[in-house]
Amino acid sequence: MSATAPQGQALVTDQSSKSTQAVFAVILTILTAGYLLPWAIAAVRGKANSGAIGWINLLLGWTVVGFIWALVLSVTPHGVKGYTSYTQTS
């Protein structure tokens, strides 16, 4: 249903025009998602220390060093915890 104004009058709404505020909101959303990228990588890879990486990223990620530290921890290879024996059947 569309509202129409009487003849000779303009319809006034609360919609604002596109502004720099909308562009800023989109950029901030993308940067926020990028900020948590190391934690997301660790969680997707199934790292055992993904919780610690998340805390490092959250608390120290605002510094370049903290962000890089969390990113390096999230992409390092998984550690070997031990070996298991198995029997091979023919």
Side-chain angles (χ1 to χ4, degrees):
M1 182 172 154
S2 176
T4 57
Q7 189 173 0
Q9 295 182 352
L11 187 63
V12 179
T13 67
D14 62 350
Q15 181 180 3
S16 63
S17 63
K18 301 253 189 276
S19 65
T20 57
Q21 184 177 7
V23 173
F24 179 72
V26 169
I27 291 171
L28 188 63
T29 301
I30 292 169
L31 289 176
T32 302
Y35 177 78
L36 296 175
L37 185 64
W39 182 38
I41 291 171
V44 168
R45 291 189 67 223
K47 295 287 284 187
N49 60 345
S50 65
I53 293 170
W55 279 109
I56 290 168
N57 190 198
L58 186 66
L59 299 176
L60 299 174
W62 60 273
T63 66
V64 176
V65 174
F67 183 83
I68 292 173
W69 182 25
L71 188 60
V72 167
L73 285 175
S74 67
V75 297
T76 54
H78 295 282
V80 176
K81 295 177 92 173
Y83 296 98
T84 183
S85 61
Y86 64 93
T87 57
Q88 195 172 24
T89 58
S90 301

Coordinates of all heavy atoms in Angstrom, one line a residue:
M1 N 0.9 -1.2 0.0 CA 0.0 0.0 0.0 C 0.9 1.2 0.0 O 1.7 1.4 0.9 CB -0.9 0.0 1.2 CG -1.8 1.1 1.3 SD -3.0 0.8 2.7 CE -3.4 2.4 3.0
S2 N 0.7 2.1 -0.9 CA 1.5 3.3 -1.1 C 0.7 4.5 -0.7 O -0.5 4.7 -1.1 CB 2.0 3.4 -2.5 OG 2.7 4.6 -2.7
A3 N 1.3 5.4 0.1 CA 0.6 6.6 0.5 C 0.8 7.7 -0.5 O 1.9 7.8 -1.1 CB 1.1 7.1 1.9
T4 N -0.2 8.4 -0.8 CA -0.1 9.5 -1.8 C -0.5 10.8 -1.1 O -1.3 10.8 -0.2 CB -1.0 9.3 -3.0 OG1 -2.3 9.2 -2.5 CG2 -0.5 8.1 -3.8
A5 N 0.2 11.9 -1.4 CA -0.1 13.2 -0.8 C -1.2 13.9 -1.6 O -1.3 13.6 -2.8 CB 1.2 14.0 -0.8
P6 N -1.9 14.7 -1.0 CA -2.9 15.5 -1.7 C -2.3 16.4 -2.7 O -1.1 16.7 -2.6 CB -3.6 16.3 -0.6 CG -3.3 15.6 0.7 CD -2.0 14.9 0.5
Q7 N -3.0 16.7 -3.7 CA -2.5 17.5 -4.8 C -1.9 18.9 -4.3 O -2.5 19.5 -3.5 CB -3.6 17.8 -5.9 CG -3.0 18.5 -7.1 CD -4.1 18.6 -8.2 OE1 -5.2 18.1 -8.0 NE2 -3.7 19.1 -9.3
G8 N -0.7 19.2 -4.7 CA -0.1 20.4 -4.3 C 0.7 20.3 -3.0 O 1.3 21.3 -2.6
Q9 N 0.8 19.1 -2.5 CA 1.6 18.9 -1.3 C 2.6 17.8 -1.5 O 2.4 16.9 -2.3 CB 0.7 18.6 -0.1 CG -0.2 19.7 0.3 CD -1.1 19.3 1.5 OE1 -1.1 18.2 2.0 NE2 -1.8 20.3 2.0
A10 N 3.7 17.8 -0.8 CA 4.7 16.7 -0.9 C 4.6 15.8 0.3 O 4.2 16.2 1.4 CB 6.1 17.4 -0.9
L11 N 4.9 14.6 0.1 CA 4.9 13.6 1.1 C 6.2 13.6 1.8 O 7.3 13.5 1.2 CB 4.6 12.2 0.5 CG 4.4 11.0 1.5 CD1 3.1 11.3 2.4 CD2 4.3 9.7 0.8
V12 N 6.2 13.7 3.2 CA 7.4 13.8 3.9 C 7.5 12.5 4.8 O 6.6 12.1 5.5 CB 7.4 15.0 4.9 CG1 8.7 15.1 5.7 CG2 7.3 16.3 4.1
T13 N 8.7 11.8 4.7 CA 8.9 10.6 5.5 C 10.1 10.8 6.4 O 10.8 11.8 6.3 CB 9.1 9.4 4.6 OG1 10.4 9.5 3.9 CG2 8.0 9.2 3.6
D14 N 10.4 9.8 7.2 CA 11.6 9.8 8.1 C 12.8 9.2 7.4 O 13.8 9.0 8.1 CB 11.2 9.1 9.4 CG 10.9 7.7 9.2 OD1 10.7 7.2 8.1 OD2 10.8 7.0 10.3
Q15 N 12.7 8.8 6.1 CA 13.8 8.2 5.5 C 14.9 9.2 5.2 O 14.6 10.3 4.6 CB 13.4 7.5 4.2 CG 14.5 6.8 3.4 CD 14.0 6.2 2.1 OE1 12.9 6.3 1.8 NE2 14.9 5.5 1.4
S16 N 16.2 8.9 5.5 CA 17.2 9.8 5.2 C 17.9 9.4 3.9 O 17.8 8.3 3.5 CB 18.3 9.8 6.4 OG 18.9 8.5 6.4
S17 N 18.5 10.4 3.3 CA 19.2 10.1 2.1 C 20.5 9.4 2.4 O 21.0 9.3 3.5 CB 19.5 11.5 1.4 OG 20.4 12.2 2.2
K18 N 21.0 8.7 1.3 CA 22.3 8.0 1.5 C 23.4 9.0 1.8 O 23.5 10.0 1.3 CB 22.6 7.3 0.2 CG 21.5 6.3 -0.3 CD 22.0 4.9 -0.1 CE 21.1 3.9 -0.7 NZ 20.0 3.5 0.0
S19 N 24.1 8.6 2.8 CA 25.1 9.5 3.3 C 26.4 8.8 3.6 O 26.5 7.6 3.4 CB 24.7 10.2 4.6 OG 24.5 9.2 5.6
T20 N 27.4 9.5 4.0 CA 28.7 8.9 4.4 C 28.5 8.0 5.6 O 29.3 7.1 5.8 CB 29.7 10.0 4.7 OG1 29.3 10.9 5.7 CG2 30.0 10.8 3.4
Q21 N 27.5 8.2 6.4 CA 27.3 7.4 7.6 C 27.0 6.0 7.2 O 27.4 5.0 7.8 CB 26.1 7.9 8.4 CG 25.9 7.2 9.7 CD 24.8 7.8 10.5 OE1 24.1 8.7 10.1 NE2 24.6 7.3 11.7
A22 N 26.2 5.8 6.1 CA 25.9 4.4 5.6 C 27.2 3.7 5.1 O 27.4 2.5 5.4 CB 24.9 4.5 4.5
V23 N 28.0 4.5 4.4 CA 29.3 3.9 3.9 C 30.2 3.5 5.1 O 30.8 2.5 5.1 CB 30.0 4.9 3.0 CG1 31.4 4.4 2.6 CG2 29.2 5.2 1.7
F24 N 30.3 4.4 6.1 CA 31.1 4.2 7.3 C 30.6 2.9 8.0 O 31.4 2.1 8.5 CB 31.0 5.4 8.2 CG 31.8 5.2 9.5 CD1 33.2 5.2 9.5 CD2 31.1 5.0 10.7 CE1 33.9 5.0 10.7 CE2 31.8 4.8 11.9 CZ 33.2 4.8 11.8
A25 N 29.3 2.7 8.1 CA 28.7 1.5 8.7 C 29.1 0.3 8.0 O 29.4 -0.7 8.7 CB 27.2 1.7 8.8
V26 N 29.1 0.3 6.7 CA 29.4 -0.9 5.9 C 30.9 -1.2 6.1 O 31.3 -2.4 6.3 CB 29.1 -0.7 4.4 CG1 29.7 -1.8 3.6 CG2 27.6 -0.7 4.3
I27 N 31.8 -0.2 6.0 CA 33.2 -0.4 6.2 C 33.5 -0.9 7.6 O 34.3 -1.8 7.8 CB 34.0 0.9 5.9 CG1 33.9 1.2 4.4 CG2 35.4 0.8 6.3 CD1 34.4 2.5 4.0
L28 N 32.9 -0.4 8.6 CA 33.1 -0.8 10.0 C 32.7 -2.2 10.2 O 33.4 -3.0 10.9 CB 32.4 0.1 11.0 CG 32.7 -0.1 12.4 CD1 34.1 0.2 12.7 CD2 31.8 0.8 13.3
T29 N 31.6 -2.6 9.6 CA 31.2 -4.0 9.7 C 32.2 -5.0 9.0 O 32.5 -6.0 9.6 CB 29.8 -4.2 8.9 OG1 28.9 -3.3 9.6 CG2 29.3 -5.6 9.0
I30 N 32.7 -4.6 7.9 CA 33.7 -5.5 7.2 C 35.0 -5.5 8.1 O 35.6 -6.6 8.3 CB 34.0 -4.9 5.8 CG1 32.8 -5.2 4.9 CG2 35.2 -5.6 5.2 CD1 32.9 -4.5 3.6
L31 N 35.4 -4.4 8.6 CA 36.6 -4.4 9.5 C 36.4 -5.2 10.7 O 37.4 -5.9 11.2 CB 37.0 -3.0 9.8 CG 37.6 -2.1 8.6 CD1 37.9 -0.7 9.1 CD2 38.8 -2.8 8.1
T32 N 35.3 -5.2 11.3 CA 35.0 -5.9 12.5 C 35.1 -7.4 12.2 O 35.6 -8.2 13.0 CB 33.6 -5.6 13.1 OG1 33.6 -4.2 13.4 CG2 33.3 -6.3 14.4
A33 N 34.5 -7.8 11.1 CA 34.6 -9.2 10.8 C 36.1 -9.6 10.5 O 36.5 -10.7 10.9 CB 33.8 -9.5 9.5
G34 N 36.9 -8.7 9.9 CA 38.3 -9.0 9.7 C 39.1 -9.0 11.0 O 40.1 -9.8 11.1
Y35 N 38.6 -8.3 12.0 CA 39.3 -8.2 13.2 C 39.3 -9.6 13.9 O 40.3 -10.0 14.5 CB 38.7 -7.2 14.1 CG 39.2 -7.1 15.5 CD1 40.4 -6.4 15.7 CD2 38.6 -7.7 16.6 CE1 41.0 -6.3 17.0 CE2 39.1 -7.6 17.9 CZ 40.3 -6.9 18.1 OH 40.8 -6.8 19.3
L36 N 38.3 -10.3 13.8 CA 38.1 -11.6 14.4 C 38.5 -12.8 13.5 O 38.3 -14.0 13.8 CB 36.7 -11.8 14.9 CG 36.2 -10.9 16.0 CD1 34.8 -11.1 16.3 CD2 37.1 -11.0 17.2
L37 N 39.2 -12.5 12.4 CA 39.6 -13.5 11.4 C 40.5 -14.6 12.0 O 40.3 -15.8 11.8 CB 40.2 -12.8 10.2 CG 40.6 -13.7 9.1 CD1 39.4 -14.4 8.5 CD2 41.4 -13.0 8.0
P38 N 41.5 -14.3 12.8 CA 42.4 -15.3 13.4 C 41.6 -16.4 14.2 O 41.8 -17.6 14.1 CB 43.4 -14.6 14.2 CG 43.5 -13.2 13.6 CD 42.1 -12.9 13.1
W39 N 40.7 -15.9 15.0 CA 39.9 -16.8 15.8 C 39.0 -17.7 14.9 O 38.8 -18.9 15.2 CB 39.0 -16.0 16.8 CG 38.2 -16.8 17.7 CD1 38.5 -18.0 18.3 CD2 36.9 -16.5 18.2 NE1 37.5 -18.4 19.1 CE2 36.5 -17.5 19.1 CE3 36.0 -15.4 18.0 CZ2 35.3 -17.5 19.7 CZ3 34.8 -15.5 18.6 CH2 34.4 -16.5 19.5
A40 N 38.4 -17.1 13.9 CA 37.6 -17.9 13.0 C 38.4 -18.9 12.3 O 37.9 -20.1 12.1 CB 36.9 -16.9 12.0
I41 N 39.6 -18.6 11.8 CA 40.4 -19.6 11.2 C 40.8 -20.7 12.1 O 40.7 -21.9 11.8 CB 41.7 -18.9 10.7 CG1 41.4 -18.0 9.5 CG2 42.7 -19.9 10.2 CD1 42.6 -17.1 9.1
A42 N 41.1 -20.4 13.4 CA 41.4 -21.4 14.4 C 40.2 -22.3 14.6 O 40.4 -23.5 14.7 CB 41.9 -20.8 15.6
A43 N 39.1 -21.8 14.7 CA 37.9 -22.6 15.0 C 37.5 -23.5 13.9 O 37.2 -24.6 14.1 CB 36.7 -21.6 15.3
V44 N 37.6 -23.0 12.6 CA 37.3 -23.8 11.5 C 38.3 -24.9 11.3 O 38.0 -26.0 10.9 CB 37.3 -22.9 10.2 CG1 37.2 -23.7 8.9 CG2 36.1 -22.0 10.3
R45 N 39.6 -24.6 11.6 CA 40.6 -25.6 11.5 C 40.6 -26.7 12.6 O 41.3 -27.7 12.6 CB 42.0 -25.0 11.4 CG 42.3 -24.2 10.1 CD 43.7 -23.8 10.0 NE 44.5 -24.9 9.8 CZ 45.7 -25.1 10.4 NH1 46.1 -24.2 11.3 NH2 46.4 -26.2 10.2
G46 N 39.9 -26.4 13.7 CA 39.8 -27.3 14.8 C 41.0 -27.3 15.7 O 41.3 -28.3 16.2
K47 N 41.6 -26.2 15.8 CA 42.8 -26.0 16.7 C 42.4 -26.3 18.1 O 41.3 -25.8 18.6 CB 43.4 -24.7 16.6 CG 44.0 -24.3 15.2 CD 45.2 -25.1 14.9 CE 46.4 -24.4 15.7 NZ 47.7 -24.9 15.4
A48 N 43.2 -27.0 18.9 CA 42.9 -27.3 20.3 C 42.9 -26.1 21.1 O 42.2 -26.0 22.1 CB 43.9 -28.3 20.8
N49 N 43.7 -25.1 20.7 CA 43.9 -23.8 21.5 C 43.1 -22.7 20.9 O 43.4 -21.5 21.0 CB 45.3 -23.5 21.6 CG 46.0 -23.2 20.3 OD1 45.5 -23.6 19.3 ND2 47.2 -22.6 20.3
S50 N 42.0 -23.0 20.2 CA 41.2 -21.9 19.5 C 40.6 -20.9 20.6 O 40.4 -19.8 20.3 CB 40.1 -22.5 18.7 OG 39.2 -23.2 19.4
G51 N 40.3 -21.4 21.8 CA 39.8 -20.5 22.8 C 40.9 -19.5 23.2 O 40.6 -18.3 23.4
A52 N 42.1 -20.0 23.4 CA 43.2 -19.1 23.7 C 43.5 -18.1 22.6 O 43.7 -16.9 22.8 CB 44.5 -19.8 24.1
I53 N 43.4 -18.6 21.4 CA 43.6 -17.7 20.2 C 42.5 -16.6 20.2 O 42.7 -15.5 19.9 CB 43.6 -18.5 18.9 CG1 44.9 -19.4 18.9 CG2 43.6 -17.6 17.7 CD1 44.9 -20.4 17.8
G54 N 41.3 -17.0 20.5 CA 40.2 -16.1 20.6 C 40.4 -15.0 21.6 O 40.1 -13.8 21.3
W55 N 40.9 -15.4 22.8 CA 41.1 -14.4 23.8 C 42.3 -13.4 23.5 O 42.2 -12.2 23.7 CB 41.4 -15.0 25.2 CG 40.1 -15.4 25.9 CD1 39.7 -16.7 26.0 CD2 39.2 -14.6 26.4 NE1 38.5 -16.7 26.7 CE2 38.1 -15.4 26.9 CE3 39.1 -13.2 26.6 CZ2 37.0 -14.8 27.6 CZ3 38.0 -12.7 27.2 CH2 37.0 -13.5 27.7
I56 N 43.3 -14.0 22.9 CA 44.5 -13.2 22.4 C 44.0 -12.2 21.4 O 44.3 -11.0 21.4 CB 45.6 -14.1 21.9 CG1 46.3 -14.8 23.0 CG2 46.6 -13.2 21.1 CD1 47.2 -15.9 22.5
N57 N 43.2 -12.7 20.4 CA 42.7 -11.8 19.4 C 41.8 -10.7 19.9 O 41.9 -9.6 19.5 CB 41.9 -12.7 18.4 CG 41.6 -12.0 17.1 OD1 40.7 -12.4 16.4 ND2 42.2 -10.9 16.8
L58 N 40.9 -11.1 20.9 CA 40.0 -10.1 21.4 C 40.7 -9.1 22.2 O 40.4 -7.9 22.1 CB 38.9 -10.9 22.3 CG 37.8 -10.0 22.8 CD1 36.9 -9.5 21.7 CD2 36.9 -10.8 23.8
L59 N 41.6 -9.5 23.1 CA 42.2 -8.5 24.0 C 43.4 -7.8 23.4 O 43.7 -6.6 23.8 CB 42.7 -9.3 25.3 CG 41.5 -9.9 26.1 CD1 42.1 -10.7 27.3 CD2 40.5 -8.9 26.5
L60 N 44.2 -8.5 22.5 CA 45.4 -7.8 22.0 C 45.4 -7.6 20.5 O 46.3 -7.1 19.9 CB 46.6 -8.7 22.3 CG 46.9 -8.9 23.8 CD1 48.1 -9.9 24.0 CD2 47.2 -7.6 24.5
G61 N 44.3 -8.0 19.8 CA 44.2 -7.9 18.4 C 44.2 -6.5 17.9 O 44.5 -6.3 16.7
W62 N 43.8 -5.5 18.7 CA 43.8 -4.1 18.3 C 45.2 -3.6 18.1 O 45.4 -2.6 17.3 CB 43.1 -3.3 19.3 CG 43.7 -3.3 20.7 CD1 43.5 -4.2 21.7 CD2 44.7 -2.4 21.2 NE1 44.2 -3.9 22.8 CE2 45.0 -2.8 22.5 CE3 45.4 -1.3 20.6 CZ2 46.0 -2.1 23.3 CZ3 46.3 -0.6 21.4 CH2 46.6 -1.1 22.7
T63 N 46.2 -4.3 18.6 CA 47.6 -4.0 18.3 C 48.0 -4.8 17.1 O 47.5 -5.9 16.9 CB 48.6 -4.3 19.4 OG1 48.6 -5.7 19.7 CG2 48.1 -3.5 20.7
V64 N 48.9 -4.3 16.3 CA 49.3 -5.1 15.1 C 50.0 -6.4 15.5 O 49.8 -7.5 15.0 CB 50.3 -4.2 14.2 CG1 50.8 -5.0 13.1 CG2 49.5 -3.0 13.7
V65 N 50.8 -6.3 16.6 CA 51.6 -7.5 17.1 C 50.6 -8.5 17.6 O 50.8 -9.7 17.3 CB 52.6 -7.0 18.2 CG1 53.2 -8.2 18.8 CG2 53.6 -6.1 17.6
G66 N 49.6 -8.1 18.3 CA 48.6 -9.1 18.9 C 47.8 -9.8 17.8 O 47.6 -11.0 17.8
F67 N 47.5 -9.0 16.7 CA 46.7 -9.6 15.6 C 47.6 -10.6 14.9 O 47.1 -11.7 14.6 CB 46.3 -8.5 14.7 CG 45.4 -9.0 13.5 CD1 44.1 -9.2 13.7 CD2 46.0 -9.2 12.3 CE1 43.3 -9.6 12.6 CE2 45.3 -9.7 11.2 CZ 43.9 -9.9 11.4
I68 N 48.8 -10.2 14.6 CA 49.7 -11.1 13.9 C 50.0 -12.4 14.7 O 50.1 -13.5 14.2 CB 51.0 -10.4 13.5 CG1 50.7 -9.4 12.4 CG2 52.1 -11.4 13.0 CD1 51.9 -8.5 12.0
W69 N 50.2 -12.2 16.0 CA 50.4 -13.3 16.9 C 49.3 -14.3 16.8 O 49.5 -15.5 16.7 CB 50.7 -12.8 18.3 CG 50.9 -13.9 19.4 CD1 51.5 -15.1 19.2 CD2 50.7 -13.8 20.8 NE1 51.6 -15.8 20.4 CE2 51.1 -14.9 21.4 CE3 50.2 -12.8 21.6 CZ2 51.0 -15.2 22.7 CZ3 50.1 -13.0 22.9 CH2 50.5 -14.2 23.5
A70 N 48.1 -13.8 17.0 CA 46.9 -14.7 16.9 C 46.7 -15.3 15.5 O 46.4 -16.5 15.4 CB 45.6 -13.9 17.2
L71 N 47.1 -14.6 14.5 CA 47.0 -15.1 13.1 C 48.0 -16.3 12.9 O 47.7 -17.3 12.4 CB 47.2 -14.0 12.1 CG 46.9 -14.4 10.6 CD1 45.5 -14.8 10.4 CD2 47.3 -13.2 9.7
V72 N 49.2 -16.1 13.4 CA 50.2 -17.1 13.3 C 49.8 -18.3 14.1 O 50.0 -19.5 13.6 CB 51.6 -16.6 13.7 CG1 52.6 -17.7 13.9 CG2 52.1 -15.5 12.7
L73 N 49.3 -18.2 15.3 CA 48.9 -19.3 16.1 C 47.8 -20.1 15.4 O 47.7 -21.3 15.5 CB 48.4 -18.8 17.4 CG 49.5 -18.4 18.5 CD1 48.8 -17.9 19.7 CD2 50.3 -19.6 18.8
S74 N 46.9 -19.4 14.7 CA 45.8 -20.0 14.0 C 46.1 -20.8 12.8 O 45.4 -21.7 12.4 CB 44.7 -19.0 13.7 OG 45.1 -18.1 12.7
V75 N 47.2 -20.5 12.1 CA 47.6 -21.2 10.9 C 48.8 -22.1 11.1 O 49.1 -22.8 10.1 CB 47.9 -20.2 9.8 CG1 46.7 -19.4 9.4 CG2 49.1 -19.3 10.1
T76 N 49.4 -22.2 12.3 CA 50.4 -23.2 12.5 C 49.9 -24.6 12.4 O 48.7 -24.9 12.6 CB 51.1 -23.0 13.8 OG1 50.2 -23.0 14.9 CG2 51.9 -21.7 13.9
P77 N 50.8 -25.6 12.0 CA 50.3 -27.0 11.9 C 49.9 -27.5 13.3 O 50.3 -27.0 14.3 CB 51.6 -27.7 11.5 CG 52.5 -26.7 10.9 CD 52.2 -25.4 11.6
H78 N 49.0 -28.5 13.2 CA 48.5 -29.1 14.5 C 49.7 -29.9 15.1 O 50.5 -30.5 14.4 CB 47.4 -30.1 14.2 CG 46.1 -29.4 13.7 ND1 45.3 -28.7 14.5 CD2 45.7 -29.2 12.4 CE1 44.3 -28.2 13.8 NE2 44.5 -28.5 12.5
G79 N 49.7 -29.9 16.4 CA 50.8 -30.7 17.1 C 50.4 -32.2 17.2 O 49.3 -32.5 17.3
V80 N 51.5 -33.0 17.2 CA 51.3 -34.4 17.4 C 51.2 -34.7 18.9 O 52.1 -34.4 19.7 CB 52.4 -35.2 16.8 CG1 52.3 -36.7 17.0 CG2 52.5 -34.9 15.3
K81 N 50.2 -35.4 19.4 CA 50.0 -35.7 20.8 C 50.6 -37.1 21.1 O 50.9 -37.4 22.3 CB 48.6 -35.6 21.2 CG 48.0 -34.2 21.1 CD 46.6 -34.1 21.5 CE 46.4 -33.9 22.9 NZ 45.1 -33.6 23.3
G82 N 50.7 -37.9 20.2 CA 51.1 -39.3 20.4 C 50.8 -40.2 19.2 O 50.4 -39.7 18.2
Y83 N 51.1 -41.4 19.4 CA 50.9 -42.4 18.3 C 49.9 -43.5 18.8 O 49.8 -43.7 20.0 CB 52.2 -43.1 17.9 CG 53.2 -42.1 17.3 CD1 54.2 -41.5 18.0 CD2 53.1 -41.7 15.9 CE1 55.1 -40.6 17.5 CE2 53.9 -40.8 15.4 CZ 54.9 -40.2 16.1 OH 55.8 -39.3 15.6
T84 N 49.2 -44.1 17.9 CA 48.4 -45.2 18.2 C 48.7 -46.4 17.4 O 49.2 -46.2 16.2 CB 46.9 -44.8 18.0 OG1 46.1 -45.9 18.4 CG2 46.6 -44.5 16.5
S85 N 48.5 -47.5 17.9 CA 48.8 -48.7 17.1 C 47.6 -49.3 16.5 O 46.5 -49.1 17.0 CB 49.5 -49.8 18.0 OG 48.6 -50.2 19.0
Y86 N 47.7 -49.9 15.4 CA 46.6 -50.5 14.8 C 47.0 -51.8 14.0 O 48.2 -51.9 13.7 CB 45.9 -49.5 13.8 CG 46.8 -49.2 12.6 CD1 46.7 -49.9 11.4 CD2 47.7 -48.1 12.7 CE1 47.5 -49.6 10.3 CE2 48.5 -47.8 11.6 CZ 48.4 -48.5 10.4 OH 49.2 -48.2 9.4
T87 N 46.1 -52.7 13.8 CA 46.4 -53.9 13.1 C 45.9 -53.8 11.7 O 44.7 -53.3 11.5 CB 45.9 -55.1 13.8 OG1 44.5 -55.0 14.0 CG2 46.5 -55.3 15.2
Q88 N 46.6 -54.2 10.8 CA 46.2 -54.2 9.4 C 45.6 -55.5 9.0 O 46.2 -56.6 9.2 CB 47.4 -53.8 8.5 CG 47.0 -53.4 7.1 CD 48.2 -52.9 6.4 OE1 49.3 -53.3 6.7 NE2 48.0 -52.1 5.4
T89 N 44.4 -55.5 8.5 CA 43.8 -56.8 8.1 C 43.8 -56.9 6.5 O 43.8 -55.9 5.8 CB 42.3 -56.8 8.5 OG1 41.6 -55.7 8.0 CG2 42.2 -56.8 10.0
S90 N 44.0 -58.1 6.1 CA 44.1 -58.3 4.6 C 42.7 -58.8 4.1 O 42.0 -59.5 4.6 CB 45.1 -59.4 4.3 OG 46.3 -59.0 4.8

